[in-house]
């Protein structure tokens, strides 16, 4: 299937590692040009060089923290200076700290709101006028299975990703007639550095091995294994493509069957 991504310009946020990087690699393999960001410039530039070499496409890396509106503005300006347009926006950020309601003070809520919600609002605000003017756009938000089934101990993630989902569902209706789709993609437990870090933290906390900590998750997954980032990226690339032109307002999981409800 030709996804119709050749020559499109995609801004993928938080993309030096993990899910964001896998999405960037898949879009580049389909012929898209990329603008990627992450906070750590060294790792980001290494990722950009690797993707450039593998795909032969143009890849711009801009060190930026998506939780900071000024960084988002600078990122989008750099993208427009390089490519003149942004056709595809993939929003993403690092995960917020784990914890229960009583473990998070006002400052923790504020930081998580900037990281997970304001980042999506500001990135979207910056790209939308150009997409409307061209009558074509794809906005894809990386959220989590937690928006359909809250995950214990991840109070900030459960709450703020739900806010992103409500915003995206509403925006999808507002911009559909302008040729812009807005969708959310929901990772389940996927093998990235973040998940390895969570397994190692759980192991230390509970005096168990990392393998035992990981097994607790895999036992909840009908496929009995973690997902691979490239399995997630395949759906992401499709939702960003020309071929997904009649799909908007959706929240689709890539979770090996972890979500058990009828949705
Ligand atoms: P990861 O492997 O830790 O990668 C995170 C990437 O985001 C890195 O490139 C990191 O680079 C960048 N980043 C982090 N904070 C950023 C910020 N404020 N501004 C710009 N870039 C930032 O994480 P992942 O597993 O791919 O997870 C990505 C998102 O999906 C997270 O929000 C996570 O909570 C969510 N999620 C993941 C899973 C899973 O199983 N992997 C499941 C559900 C939800 P720098 O550190 O250099 O900035």
């Amino acid at each position: 299937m030709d996804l119709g991504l050749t020559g499109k310009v995609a801004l993928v946020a938080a993309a030096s590692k993990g899910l964001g990087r896998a999405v960037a690699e898949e879009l580049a393999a389909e012929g898209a040009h990329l603008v990627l960001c992450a906070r750590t410039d060294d790792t980001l530039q290494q990722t950009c060089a690797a993707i450039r070499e593998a795909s032969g496409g143009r890849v711009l890396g801009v060190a930026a923290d998506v939780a900071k509106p000024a960084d988002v503005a600078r990122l989008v300006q750099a993208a427009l200076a390089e490519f003149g347009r942004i056709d595809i926006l993939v929003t993403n950020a690092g995960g917020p700290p784990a914890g229960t309601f009583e473990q998070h003070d006002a400052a923790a809520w504020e930081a998580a709101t900037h990281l997970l919600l304001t980042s999506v609002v500001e990135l979207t605000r910056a790209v939308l006028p150009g997409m409307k003017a061209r009558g074509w756009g794809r906005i894809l938000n990386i959220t989590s299975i937690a928006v359909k089934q809250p995950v214990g101990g991840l109070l900030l993630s459960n709450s703020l990703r739900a806010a992103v989902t409500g915003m995206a569902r509403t925006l999808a209706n507002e911009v559909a007639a302008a040729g812009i789709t807005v969708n959310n993609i929901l990772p389940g437990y996927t093998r990235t550095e973040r998940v390895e870090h969570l397994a190692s933290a759980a192991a230390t906390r509970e005096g168990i091995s990392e393998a035992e900590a990981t097994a607790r998750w895999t036992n909840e997954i009908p496929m009995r294994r973690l997902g691979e980032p490239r399995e997630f990226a395949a759906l992401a690339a499709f939702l960003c493509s020309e071929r997904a032109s009649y799909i908007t307002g959706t929240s689709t999981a890539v979770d090996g069957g972890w979500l058990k409800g009828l949705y």
Side-chain angles (χ1 to χ4, degrees):
M1 187 190 295
D2 178 2
L3 294 183
L5 284 165
T6 306
K8 296 283 189 206
V9 179
L11 191 166
V12 186
S16 65
K17 298 178 186 172
L19 301 175
R21 176 176 176 155
V23 172
E25 288 172 342
E26 196 69 40
L27 291 173
E30 292 296 326
H33 302 305
L34 300 178
V35 182
L36 310 183
C37 83
R39 292 164 304 175
T40 315
D41 197 38
D42 279 4
T43 325
L44 175 65
Q45 298 309 333
Q46 283 167 25
T47 297
C48 290
I51 296 177
R52 227 176 267 129
E53 194 176 319
S55 68
R58 292 168 65 194
V59 186
L60 175 69
V62 181
D65 181 343
V66 293
K68 297 180 178 163
D71 277 22
V72 169
R74 185 170 48 75
L75 166 66
V76 172
Q77 274 163 17
L80 294 177
E82 179 78 10
F83 293 109
R85 63 183 209 281
I86 297 166
D87 303 305
I88 296 163
L89 168 66
V90 180
T91 72
N92 187 30
T100 62
F101 183 85
E102 289 173 318
Q103 287 168 336
H104 298 305
D105 60 12
W109 274 94
E110 192 179 344
T113 302
H114 282 296
L115 181 67
L116 294 183
L117 179 60
T118 313
S119 63
V120 179
V121 173
E122 292 307 314
L123 281 162
T124 302
R125 193 199 306 283
V127 303
L128 207 52
M131 289 180 177
K132 284 178 101 168
R134 288 183 299 277
W136 198 96
R138 298 283 180 267
I139 297 173
L140 181 67
N141 304 307
I142 298 180
T143 61
S144 168
I145 44 174
V147 303
K148 295 201 177 184
Q149 186 176 315
V151 178
L154 294 183
L155 190 106
L156 294 171
S157 175
N158 295 341
S159 307
L160 292 160
R161 294 187 198 283
V164 171
T165 308
M167 193 270 281
R169 188 65 195 82
T170 314
L171 177 66
N173 291 347
E174 293 177 5
V175 299
I180 302 166
T181 69
V182 185
N183 291 289
N184 308 303
I185 181 166
L186 286 43
Y189 290 97
T190 314
R191 194 185 305 281
T192 64
E193 268 185 35
R194 171 174 164 84
V195 159
E196 283 163 12
H197 172 74
L198 290 175
S200 148
T204 310
R205 203 170 49 241
E206 299 172 36
I208 56 175
S209 70
E210 276 187 44
E212 284 170 310
T214 307
R216 253 197 331 233
W217 296 326
T218 52
N219 286 337
E220 295 175 3
I221 303 168
M223 288 192 183
R224 293 287 182 266
R225 65 174 177 85
L226 300 183
E228 296 299 330
R230 65 183 170 76
E231 295 178 299
F232 175 84
L235 177 64
F238 180 74
L239 290 171
C240 291
S241 77
E242 177 57 40
R243 302 303 294 270
S245 49
Y246 204 56
I247 302 174
T248 197
T250 66
S251 288
T252 307
V254 182
D255 67 351
W258 186 87
L259 286 166
K260 306 297 189 304
L262 298 178
Y263 37 70

